Amino acid sequence: NVTSALAFVPYQSTPTYSATKAALHSFSESLRIQLAGADTGVQVIEMVPPGVQTPLFGQQDSEHAMPLDDFLTEALDLLREKPDAKEIVVERARFIRDAVATGTYDDVLAMIAGS
């Protein structure tokens, strides 16, 4: 499942997008547990990209967004390194993904709001 770093710290200009990605994160977690308990052999991997230079939200030329080729290379490298990963989070998305755990949520939320 492809969610977004915005599933973990929302962007005020895209509340529906952020909320649906948060819901997909929760669904992925629940589905992973459900399928593991049923011993189905199905793996649930959540892809957690940052903003990527694509036409989505007009980010194709944004200096704040990650170049698409860089994202794909790093994400596929991570998947190759750890094929049993629950989440694939590129370095550029890690500070947003982990904002609650690192105690930086309010700072990251303010930074995203300012961008």
Side-chain angles (χ1 to χ4, degrees):
N1 291 331
V2 179
T3 62
S4 169
L6 298 179
F8 301 92
V9 180
Y11 183 47
Q12 82 282 358
S13 295
T14 59
T16 303
Y17 179 85
S18 298
T20 57
K21 293 302 186 174
L24 185 56
H25 167 69
S26 179
F27 175 74
S28 299
E29 289 280 307
S30 298
L31 187 61
R32 185 180 301 113
I33 294 164
Q34 190 177 51
L35 291 172
D39 197 28
T40 63
V42 175
Q43 182 180 1
V44 178
I45 301 172
E46 180 180 355
M47 184 73 62
V48 185
V52 177
Q53 289 178 349
T54 67
L56 182 65
F57 304 128
Q59 295 183 105
Q60 63 269 17
D61 299 317
S62 173
E63 63 186 45
H64 300 292
M66 185 174 191
L68 178 59
D69 287 343
D70 293 351
F71 168 72
L72 292 173
T73 298
E74 188 177 345
L76 290 174
D77 285 348
L78 288 168
L79 190 54
R80 271 188 221 96
E81 291 169 14
K82 194 167 183 188
D84 60 343
K86 294 177 181 179
E87 294 179 352
I88 299 297
V89 184
V90 298
E91 190 60 35
R92 192 161 180 166
R94 177 66 55 196
F95 79 101
I96 300 172
R97 165 60 183 99
D98 295 343
V100 170
T102 60
T104 59
Y105 181 87
D106 289 339
D107 293 336
V108 173
L109 182 63
M111 184 205 68
I112 290 173
S115 63

